Amino acid sequence: ADQQHGNEENSQMEIFHLSAAKAILKVLRRLDTVAYERGLTHALIHSKTKEDRTNLVNWMGLSRLPADIQLTDDIEMNDEENSKEAPMSISLPPRVALEHAESKIRLDAIPVLLAEAKDERNTEVDGGGETILQSFLRRFLVDDDANVALASAEALEDLLSFANSHSVNAIDSVELGEGSLEGLLKWASSTNLDEITRFGLVVHACRFASRAAKALFTSKQNQMTLLRLLEALGAFMSNKEAQIAEEAAKGIIFAWDRPAETRRDESIAVAKSLLISDEKILREYRRAFRKNDSSEIYIRRQLVGVLLDAFATHLSSSNVFNEEAIEYCIWLVDAFSDNLRSCADTQLISECLLGTAEYLASTPENIVPVFSRLASADKIVFKNAFAPYIEAVCKNVKDKKGYKVSPAAVVMEALLALDNRDQIENVASVARDLTTTDQIGSFYSFIPTIALTCHSNENVRGLAVDLLCSFSSTLSGN
């Protein structure tokens, strides 16, 4: 009996507290509507769980408004004694509706908020610290209903254009940039959406990224965010969907503040040339690529493919372009050695590297270090992509007087500088090919190969013996 009495007292106390809370909210709404709306929005946004949010929505009566009532109508709270069955009925301000548990109400709130935001009086940050622009961006990123996310993105795009044309303070460029990157990664990888919706979300993310990149170019601030935006846009130029690839290319052109191209192929060609046009940005790309543990490694892989194609197509006499092209090829192999055996991948690397052969041959001090790094590749990748390049470099080396140096002598110098068995085996295969019909080259290679027979690794000594046998065959055959 005592326990039952205690439960009844607790229940009565709970009812009293709820009634008092409703009375306070009713008074607050009449005294300061803005504070009232802000408080509701804050409570909904910061609900710890979906269940908490649903309970709050039900208690406040937000989920049972009549269908014919507009979001901005002024509806008085019903007194509890007049409506014991229905929960408290209140007006549903657009900012509150955007956080509603029901997607239909969130969707209906977006055009109302958009119209409100275009009023000059509503373009600044409100007391709650979030502008309507920021609210749309957040909904674009976190809403579990793709239709609401897409509608938010469309409203945000509309509002950004409006803010720009009316010289109104819009969203922070870094915030927009970080949001666009998050949106690209999220929506591009979504597999449970219809293609039209997913396409729309990715396209809007590309547009937000280009707007943010252009603003950061102009302000020259937060270059790391700018770099990541250019990486993402460049990567999506290789997207299998032509329209997304074109949108990404247009985004790069927009970021560089260049005139838009009318044809898709022209847009992509111009965008590729822009991506490799800035020496400082090129070096920053390479520096960022060293972070192989990045969650955006997939984007960087796609970007490297775009850049290699750009280098192969637009490779100029600039030493910087040649150096960067070599670095990208080596990084691509280092980072993706286990998944880089397709003909398309190795062909692209080979074409790009062959364009730098004359440059490397003209800088003898760089030959051995580069060959050493190339020799660490998987045997299949080395054979298909790197071996032809090493041969091309060796055949173009000249001495100080301008006379060609024996290709075999060049490759043997690199071979003697190696210590790893796999590296030696890779480069030895090139030496074998270069000396197959070259008697002079075999003669020059004989003594260095004898030196390898004294190597501490037994396998290397065996390779040296095999190489000597091939040299002997060439010499005896001639």
Side-chain angles (χ1 to χ4, degrees), residues 243-320:
Q243 288 178 291
I244 290 179
E246 182 180 9
E247 196 66 43
K250 288 180 177 178
I252 291 172
I253 295 172
F254 178 82
W256 254 275
D257 200 20
R258 300 295 174 85
E261 300 293 334
T262 55
R263 293 172 49 190
R264 184 177 70 86
D265 56 344
E266 291 177 349
S267 294
I268 291 179
V270 170
K272 284 181 178 179
S273 65
L274 288 173
L275 281 174
I276 61 173
S277 65
D278 190 307
E279 294 182 9
K280 181 179 178 181
I281 291 178
L282 280 176
R283 297 189 189 281
E284 289 298 324
Y285 285 148
R286 191 177 74 190
R287 191 171 296 121
F289 287 161
R290 294 303 176 193
K291 301 174 182 177
N292 290 348
D293 58 343
S294 170
S295 60
E296 297 172 12
I297 196 73
Y298 171 77
I299 278 185
R300 288 177 175 160
R301 160 79 185 271
Q302 299 304 310
L303 173 63
V304 170
V306 172
L307 291 178
L308 291 182
D309 183 58
F311 281 128
T313 305
H314 304 288
L315 200 61
S316 69
S317 58
S318 169
N319 288 345
V320 173

XYZ file of all heavy atoms in Angstrom, residues 243-320:
628
model
N 27.894 13.226 -66.815
C 27.404 14.520 -66.325
C 28.085 14.930 -65.026
O 28.346 16.108 -64.795
C 25.895 14.461 -66.135
C 25.109 14.443 -67.445
C 23.613 14.327 -67.224
O 23.116 13.295 -66.792
N 22.897 15.391 -67.515
N 28.379 13.956 -64.158
C 29.086 14.266 -62.919
C 30.520 14.684 -63.235
O 31.051 15.642 -62.651
C 29.057 13.064 -61.960
C 27.636 12.861 -61.429
C 30.034 13.270 -60.802
C 27.489 11.682 -60.494
N 31.157 13.974 -64.159
C 32.521 14.336 -64.558
C 32.554 15.749 -65.129
O 33.466 16.538 -64.833
C 33.039 13.336 -65.589
N 31.553 16.086 -65.933
C 31.491 17.425 -66.510
C 31.258 18.481 -65.432
O 31.857 19.561 -65.472
C 30.372 17.485 -67.549
C 30.256 18.842 -68.236
C 29.152 18.887 -69.265
O 28.363 17.912 -69.333
O 29.060 19.891 -69.995
N 30.396 18.171 -64.458
C 30.121 19.116 -63.377
C 31.383 19.379 -62.559
O 31.656 20.524 -62.159
C 29.015 18.567 -62.473
C 28.382 19.588 -61.560
C 27.610 20.655 -62.299
O 26.879 20.316 -63.236
O 27.748 21.843 -61.924
N 32.158 18.327 -62.300
C 33.416 18.494 -61.561
C 34.397 19.351 -62.350
O 35.084 20.220 -61.788
C 34.020 17.124 -61.256
N 34.471 19.117 -63.664
C 35.366 19.916 -64.512
C 34.946 21.389 -64.525
O 35.785 22.290 -64.418
C 35.367 19.353 -65.932
N 33.642 21.628 -64.633
C 33.152 23.003 -64.599
C 33.457 23.659 -63.258
O 33.728 24.869 -63.188
C 31.643 23.025 -64.850
C 31.244 22.720 -66.293
C 29.728 22.769 -66.457
C 29.314 22.543 -67.901
N 27.839 22.545 -68.065
N 33.419 22.847 -62.197
C 33.738 23.367 -60.872
C 35.171 23.847 -60.771
O 35.449 24.888 -60.155
N 36.093 23.112 -61.374
C 37.503 23.518 -61.363
C 37.688 24.798 -62.163
O 38.395 25.728 -61.744
C 38.381 22.385 -61.930
C 38.390 21.206 -60.952
C 39.803 22.872 -62.198
C 39.063 19.974 -61.472
N 37.041 24.879 -63.321
C 37.128 26.088 -64.145
C 36.548 27.285 -63.391
O 37.111 28.391 -63.415
C 36.384 25.872 -65.484
C 37.096 24.779 -66.296
C 36.314 27.168 -66.276
C 36.345 24.352 -67.549
N 35.440 27.061 -62.704
C 34.817 28.130 -61.910
C 35.739 28.566 -60.770
O 35.868 29.757 -60.489
C 33.480 27.637 -61.361
C 32.754 28.634 -60.494
C 31.992 29.644 -61.067
C 32.832 28.567 -59.115
C 31.320 30.574 -60.273
C 32.168 29.490 -58.308
C 31.409 30.493 -58.903
N 36.378 27.585 -60.117
C 37.269 27.901 -58.993
C 38.444 28.764 -59.448
O 38.892 29.660 -58.721
C 37.772 26.617 -58.352
N 38.925 28.504 -60.664
C 40.037 29.294 -61.206
C 39.558 30.598 -61.846
O 40.344 31.357 -62.373
C 40.819 28.475 -62.227
C 42.144 28.001 -61.742
C 43.326 28.685 -61.763
C 42.460 26.721 -61.164
N 44.347 27.923 -61.240
C 43.844 26.706 -60.867
C 41.719 25.600 -60.867
C 44.478 25.622 -60.301
C 42.346 24.515 -60.298
C 43.713 24.522 -60.016
N 38.234 30.806 -61.814
C 37.628 32.024 -62.359
C 37.932 32.175 -63.845
O 38.269 33.266 -64.334
C 38.133 33.266 -61.591
C 37.192 34.466 -61.781
O 36.019 34.249 -62.149
O 37.644 35.606 -61.568
N 37.796 31.076 -64.569
C 37.980 31.081 -66.018
C 36.621 30.980 -66.719
O 35.662 30.459 -66.141
C 38.860 29.910 -66.449
C 40.250 29.922 -65.823
C 41.056 31.122 -66.289
N 42.332 31.224 -65.605
C 43.425 30.579 -65.988
N 43.391 29.776 -67.050
N 44.559 30.727 -65.325
N 36.541 31.418 -67.965
C 35.265 31.340 -68.700
C 34.820 29.879 -68.856
O 35.637 28.992 -69.108
C 35.603 31.965 -70.063
C 36.822 32.798 -69.817
C 37.598 32.093 -68.745
N 33.536 29.651 -68.728
C 32.996 28.303 -68.841
C 33.053 27.830 -70.290
O 32.901 28.617 -71.226
C 31.560 28.266 -68.333
N 33.290 26.531 -70.472
C 33.296 25.920 -71.791
C 31.905 25.368 -72.101
O 31.166 24.970 -71.205
C 34.338 24.791 -71.863
C 35.762 25.242 -71.585
C 36.298 26.158 -72.675
O 35.820 26.052 -73.828
O 37.179 26.977 -72.376
N 31.575 25.327 -73.381
C 30.239 24.856 -73.772
C 30.183 23.351 -73.982
O 29.151 22.731 -73.755
C 29.795 25.561 -75.062
O 30.794 25.349 -76.081
C 29.633 27.058 -74.811
N 31.291 22.746 -74.381
C 31.312 21.302 -74.651
C 31.978 20.562 -73.509
O 32.934 21.042 -72.893
C 32.051 21.019 -75.960
C 31.342 21.537 -77.196
C 32.208 21.402 -78.428
N 32.775 20.051 -78.553
C 33.722 19.728 -79.440
N 34.208 20.663 -80.250
N 34.174 18.500 -79.503
N 31.464 19.342 -73.253
C 31.971 18.568 -72.121
C 33.448 18.224 -72.291
O 34.241 18.361 -71.353
C 31.152 17.280 -71.968
C 31.556 16.456 -70.735
C 30.675 15.237 -70.588
N 30.952 14.267 -71.636
C 31.927 13.334 -71.551
N 32.689 13.285 -70.488
N 32.114 12.480 -72.524
N 33.851 17.761 -73.469
C 35.249 17.378 -73.674
C 36.187 18.568 -73.520
O 37.313 18.439 -73.008
C 35.436 16.704 -75.039
C 34.944 17.578 -76.190
O 34.197 18.536 -75.927
O 35.307 17.279 -77.346
N 35.721 19.750 -73.941
C 36.535 20.952 -73.781
C 36.662 21.329 -72.308
O 37.739 21.733 -71.847
C 35.918 22.115 -74.561
C 35.990 21.957 -76.077
C 35.313 23.088 -76.809
O 34.611 23.885 -76.139
O 35.481 23.190 -78.038
N 35.563 21.189 -71.556
C 35.599 21.497 -70.119
C 36.605 20.603 -69.405
O 37.404 21.067 -68.580
C 34.208 21.308 -69.506
O 33.293 22.250 -70.007
N 36.585 19.315 -69.711
C 37.487 18.375 -69.041
C 38.930 18.649 -69.427
O 39.840 18.614 -68.582
C 37.074 16.936 -69.376
C 35.731 16.624 -68.701
C 38.144 15.941 -68.921
C 35.186 15.243 -68.978
N 39.183 18.944 -70.701
C 40.552 19.236 -71.140
C 41.097 20.486 -70.453
O 42.244 20.501 -69.976
C 40.584 19.402 -72.657
N 40.286 21.526 -70.390
C 40.721 22.776 -69.737
C 40.942 22.544 -68.246
O 41.930 23.023 -67.668
C 39.674 23.890 -69.961
C 39.994 25.106 -69.096
C 39.623 24.282 -71.417
N 40.032 21.807 -67.607
C 40.159 21.539 -66.166
C 41.431 20.752 -65.862
O 42.120 21.028 -64.879
C 38.931 20.788 -65.667
N 41.757 19.781 -66.695
C 42.984 19.000 -66.480
C 44.225 19.884 -66.571
O 45.155 19.766 -65.755
C 43.066 17.863 -67.504
C 42.139 16.694 -67.219
C 42.308 15.607 -68.267
C 41.414 14.407 -67.955
N 41.543 13.336 -68.968
N 44.241 20.765 -67.569
C 45.408 21.647 -67.706
C 45.526 22.606 -66.527
O 46.638 22.939 -66.094
C 45.314 22.427 -69.022
O 44.199 23.307 -69.011
N 44.379 23.042 -65.971
C 44.405 23.927 -64.805
C 44.956 23.203 -63.582
O 45.675 23.797 -62.772
C 43.003 24.456 -64.512
C 42.448 25.498 -65.498
C 40.989 25.809 -65.185
C 43.273 26.781 -65.455
N 44.613 21.927 -63.426
C 45.054 21.174 -62.251
C 46.572 21.054 -62.174
O 47.127 20.894 -61.086
C 44.436 19.770 -62.257
C 42.980 19.665 -61.799
C 42.462 18.247 -62.012
C 42.827 20.059 -60.337
N 47.249 21.107 -63.324
C 48.711 20.980 -63.318
C 49.390 22.297 -63.683
O 50.574 22.312 -64.019
C 49.185 19.857 -64.267
C 48.764 20.156 -65.708
C 48.635 18.515 -63.815
C 49.344 19.175 -66.722
N 48.635 23.399 -63.620
C 49.176 24.689 -64.059
C 49.884 25.467 -62.966
O 50.624 26.401 -63.252
C 48.047 25.556 -64.643
O 47.099 25.880 -63.629
N 49.676 25.105 -61.722
C 50.235 25.853 -60.594
C 51.305 25.005 -59.907
O 50.998 23.962 -59.318
C 49.123 26.222 -59.613
C 49.584 27.209 -58.550
O 50.601 26.924 -57.896
O 48.916 28.236 -58.369
N 52.553 25.440 -59.970
C 53.652 24.659 -59.409
C 53.490 24.437 -57.904
O 53.757 23.352 -57.390
C 54.988 25.352 -59.690
C 55.359 25.397 -61.154
C 56.707 26.039 -61.379
O 57.414 26.290 -60.377
O 57.068 26.282 -62.547
N 53.052 25.463 -57.204
C 52.894 25.350 -55.747
C 51.841 24.303 -55.398
O 52.043 23.469 -54.507
C 52.505 26.704 -55.159
C 52.346 26.677 -53.641
C 51.972 28.046 -53.109
C 51.779 27.992 -51.590
N 51.382 29.324 -51.046
N 50.713 24.348 -56.112
C 49.653 23.379 -55.844
C 50.114 21.974 -56.195
O 49.801 21.000 -55.494
C 48.379 23.755 -56.623
C 47.783 25.044 -56.042
C 47.351 22.634 -56.574
C 46.549 25.539 -56.743
N 50.889 21.840 -57.264
C 51.413 20.523 -57.643
C 52.236 19.922 -56.510
O 52.098 18.748 -56.169
C 52.275 20.642 -58.899
C 51.544 20.713 -60.245
C 52.546 20.914 -61.362
C 50.735 19.460 -60.476
N 53.082 20.739 -55.929
C 53.928 20.226 -54.840
C 53.085 19.890 -53.611
O 53.380 18.949 -52.874
C 55.003 21.261 -54.500
C 55.960 21.523 -55.654
C 57.134 22.390 -55.226
N 57.926 22.812 -56.360
C 58.815 22.058 -56.985
N 59.018 20.821 -56.592
N 59.505 22.535 -58.012
N 52.038 20.678 -53.380
C 51.155 20.394 -52.242
C 50.388 19.097 -52.459
O 50.169 18.329 -51.520
C 50.178 21.556 -52.036
C 50.813 22.814 -51.495
C 51.424 22.589 -50.124
O 50.865 21.824 -49.319
O 52.479 23.187 -49.846
N 49.969 18.821 -53.703
C 49.323 17.548 -54.008
C 50.228 16.400 -53.561
O 49.818 15.476 -52.873
C 49.103 17.385 -55.514
C 47.996 18.191 -56.123
C 48.102 18.647 -57.423
C 46.831 18.482 -55.419
C 47.095 19.383 -58.024
C 45.823 19.222 -56.003
C 45.965 19.663 -57.310
O 44.967 20.388 -57.885
N 51.477 16.482 -53.998
C 52.413 15.397 -53.730
C 52.660 15.231 -52.244
O 52.753 14.117 -51.736
C 53.743 15.670 -54.449
C 54.685 14.477 -54.439
C 55.934 14.800 -55.229
N 56.812 15.705 -54.514
C 57.866 16.297 -55.056
N 58.150 16.101 -56.327
N 58.620 17.098 -54.347
N 52.740 16.349 -51.526
C 52.968 16.280 -50.086
C 51.782 15.603 -49.396
O 51.955 14.789 -48.498
C 53.192 17.683 -49.531
C 53.700 17.697 -48.095
C 54.104 19.107 -47.685
N 55.222 19.594 -48.474
C 55.197 20.680 -49.230
N 54.096 21.384 -49.324
N 56.253 21.059 -49.901
N 50.590 15.937 -49.833
C 49.393 15.331 -49.238
C 49.310 13.855 -49.570
O 48.834 13.051 -48.769
C 48.143 16.052 -49.744
N 49.813 13.468 -50.743
C 49.732 12.078 -51.159
C 50.538 11.149 -50.258
O 50.313 9.954 -50.227
C 50.254 11.927 -52.586
C 49.324 12.463 -53.627
C 49.789 12.770 -54.890
C 47.983 12.673 -53.352
C 48.939 13.270 -55.864
C 47.126 13.174 -54.310
C 47.605 13.466 -55.562
N 51.480 11.691 -49.530
C 52.303 10.844 -48.668
C 51.493 10.288 -47.494
O 51.907 9.341 -46.843
C 53.495 11.643 -48.136
C 54.466 12.051 -49.222
C 54.978 10.863 -49.991
N 55.835 11.240 -51.089
C 56.205 10.428 -52.055
N 55.747 9.197 -52.079
N 56.988 10.839 -53.028
N 50.342 10.889 -47.205
C 49.512 10.439 -46.087
C 48.634 9.278 -46.554
O 47.448 9.417 -46.802
C 48.665 11.588 -45.564
C 49.500 12.781 -45.086
C 48.610 13.954 -44.711
C 49.437 15.165 -44.292
N 48.592 16.340 -43.989
N 49.240 8.112 -46.674
C 48.531 6.975 -47.253
C 47.448 6.413 -46.348
O 46.679 5.555 -46.766
C 49.529 5.859 -47.588
C 50.428 6.238 -48.752
O 50.176 7.222 -49.436
N 51.464 5.467 -48.975
N 47.386 6.856 -45.094
C 46.372 6.350 -44.179
C 45.117 7.232 -44.200
O 44.195 7.027 -43.422
C 46.914 6.279 -42.752
C 47.388 7.636 -42.246
O 47.600 8.531 -43.096
O 47.546 7.793 -41.031
N 45.082 8.216 -45.091
C 43.958 9.138 -45.128
C 42.672 8.425 -45.501
O 42.662 7.492 -46.302
C 44.235 10.254 -46.139
O 43.080 11.024 -46.348
N 41.559 8.896 -44.919
C 40.254 8.334 -45.257
C 39.842 8.715 -46.672
O 38.912 8.145 -47.224
C 39.194 8.847 -44.267
O 39.117 10.266 -44.314
N 40.539 9.680 -47.261
C 40.215 10.116 -48.611
C 41.183 9.533 -49.633
O 41.362 10.071 -50.727
C 40.232 11.641 -48.670
C 39.182 12.275 -47.767
C 39.328 13.780 -47.675
O 40.086 14.348 -48.471
O 38.686 14.378 -46.806
N 41.798 8.403 -49.300
C 42.795 7.828 -50.189
C 42.187 7.440 -51.525
O 42.830 7.512 -52.575
C 43.477 6.603 -49.517
C 44.766 6.247 -50.259
C 42.549 5.422 -49.451
C 45.884 7.208 -50.019
N 40.902 7.033 -51.533
C 40.255 6.665 -52.790
C 40.178 7.873 -53.716
O 40.467 7.762 -54.922
C 38.847 6.127 -52.520
C 38.034 5.917 -53.777
C 38.253 4.806 -54.595
C 37.075 6.850 -54.160
C 37.518 4.638 -55.763
C 36.335 6.680 -55.322
C 36.566 5.568 -56.120
O 35.844 5.407 -57.274
N 39.806 9.015 -53.160
C 39.731 10.243 -53.967
C 41.099 10.582 -54.524
O 41.244 10.955 -55.689
C 39.173 11.403 -53.120
C 37.642 11.314 -53.083
C 39.607 12.758 -53.665
C 36.967 12.468 -52.391
N 42.123 10.435 -53.711
C 43.470 10.768 -54.176
C 43.935 9.801 -55.262
O 44.656 10.184 -56.187
C 44.428 10.786 -52.990
C 44.169 12.004 -52.115
C 45.022 12.057 -50.887
N 44.778 13.311 -50.181
C 45.051 13.518 -48.924
N 45.565 12.550 -48.190
N 44.812 14.676 -48.364
N 43.530 8.552 -55.154
C 43.868 7.586 -56.198
C 43.230 8.013 -57.521
O 43.870 7.994 -58.576
C 43.368 6.200 -55.785
C 43.204 5.192 -56.942
C 44.521 4.593 -57.362
N 44.354 3.734 -58.520
C 44.065 2.437 -58.470
N 43.876 1.855 -57.304
N 43.995 1.727 -59.567
N 41.956 8.397 -57.477
C 41.280 8.816 -58.694
C 41.912 10.088 -59.262
O 42.046 10.235 -60.479
C 39.794 9.062 -58.405
C 39.039 7.841 -57.911
C 39.137 6.667 -58.863
O 38.900 6.804 -60.047
N 39.498 5.503 -58.336
N 42.309 11.000 -58.378
C 42.915 12.245 -58.832
C 44.241 11.976 -59.536
O 44.542 12.595 -60.561
C 43.147 13.189 -57.649
C 43.928 14.467 -57.986
C 43.167 15.328 -58.981
C 44.223 15.268 -56.738
N 45.039 11.063 -59.002
C 46.330 10.771 -59.625
C 46.126 10.285 -61.045
O 46.863 10.652 -61.959
C 47.111 9.735 -58.792
C 48.329 9.263 -59.551
C 47.543 10.355 -57.479
N 45.096 9.446 -61.257
C 44.814 8.994 -62.608
C 44.515 10.147 -63.542
O 44.988 10.190 -64.690
N 43.734 11.121 -63.054
C 43.408 12.304 -63.859
C 44.672 13.117 -64.142
O 44.906 13.581 -65.270
C 42.357 13.175 -63.141
C 42.155 14.504 -63.861
C 41.033 12.433 -63.050
N 45.511 13.285 -63.113
C 46.731 14.077 -63.283
C 47.714 13.404 -64.234
O 48.340 14.063 -65.067
C 47.401 14.300 -61.923
C 46.657 15.218 -60.950
C 47.405 15.297 -59.633
C 46.461 16.600 -61.527
N 47.848 12.089 -64.129
C 48.760 11.380 -65.031
C 48.304 11.525 -66.475
O 49.115 11.705 -67.380
C 48.832 9.902 -64.655
C 49.524 9.560 -63.334
C 49.557 8.063 -63.123
C 50.927 10.139 -63.291
N 46.999 11.444 -66.681
C 46.476 11.629 -68.025
C 46.748 13.050 -68.508
O 47.083 13.275 -69.674
C 44.972 11.342 -68.037
C 44.382 11.438 -69.433
O 44.843 10.710 -70.328
O 43.459 12.257 -69.629
N 46.615 14.018 -67.588
C 46.891 15.410 -67.945
C 48.367 15.597 -68.293
O 48.704 16.281 -69.275
C 46.498 16.332 -66.792
N 49.242 14.981 -67.503
C 50.676 15.082 -67.785
C 51.007 14.449 -69.136
O 51.761 15.005 -69.925
C 51.479 14.387 -66.691
C 51.633 15.192 -65.439
C 51.314 14.656 -64.209
C 52.097 16.492 -65.475
C 51.450 15.388 -63.044
C 52.244 17.240 -64.314
C 51.915 16.683 -63.101
N 50.433 13.250 -69.376
C 50.719 12.554 -70.626
C 50.244 13.351 -71.832
O 50.857 13.320 -72.901
C 50.057 11.174 -70.620
N 49.150 14.099 -71.648
C 48.571 14.866 -72.750
C 49.219 16.234 -72.897
O 49.442 16.708 -74.011
C 47.049 15.059 -72.530
O 46.441 13.778 -72.341
C 46.413 15.742 -73.726
N 49.530 16.873 -71.756
C 49.993 18.262 -71.781
C 51.441 18.417 -71.323
O 51.853 19.538 -71.013
C 49.101 19.126 -70.886
C 47.644 19.050 -71.244
N 47.122 19.622 -72.372
C 46.604 18.451 -70.613
C 45.822 19.392 -72.431
N 45.476 18.692 -71.372
N 52.206 17.318 -71.243
C 53.555 17.409 -70.702
C 54.388 18.408 -71.498
O 54.511 18.316 -72.710
C 54.222 16.034 -70.737
C 55.412 15.848 -69.809
C 54.993 16.041 -68.356
C 56.017 14.468 -70.001
N 54.942 19.375 -70.817
C 55.728 20.419 -71.473
C 57.195 20.248 -71.126
O 57.611 19.273 -70.518
C 55.244 21.795 -71.012
O 55.572 21.990 -69.650
N 57.977 21.208 -71.501
C 59.410 21.160 -71.224
C 59.738 21.588 -69.804
O 60.901 21.595 -69.403
C 60.156 22.066 -72.212
O 59.668 23.397 -72.110
N 58.741 21.968 -69.033
C 58.975 22.422 -67.669
C 59.529 21.290 -66.816
O 58.964 20.199 -66.762
C 57.664 22.933 -67.052
O 57.817 23.136 -65.666
N 60.641 21.543 -66.151
C 61.237 20.532 -65.273
C 60.308 20.173 -64.131
O 60.269 19.033 -63.673
C 62.567 21.031 -64.722
C 63.656 21.050 -65.784
O 63.508 20.441 -66.847
N 64.736 21.742 -65.506
N 59.544 21.160 -63.655
C 58.624 20.909 -62.549
C 57.597 19.863 -62.945
O 57.315 18.923 -62.201
C 57.931 22.212 -62.107
C 56.847 21.911 -61.073
C 58.944 23.177 -61.521
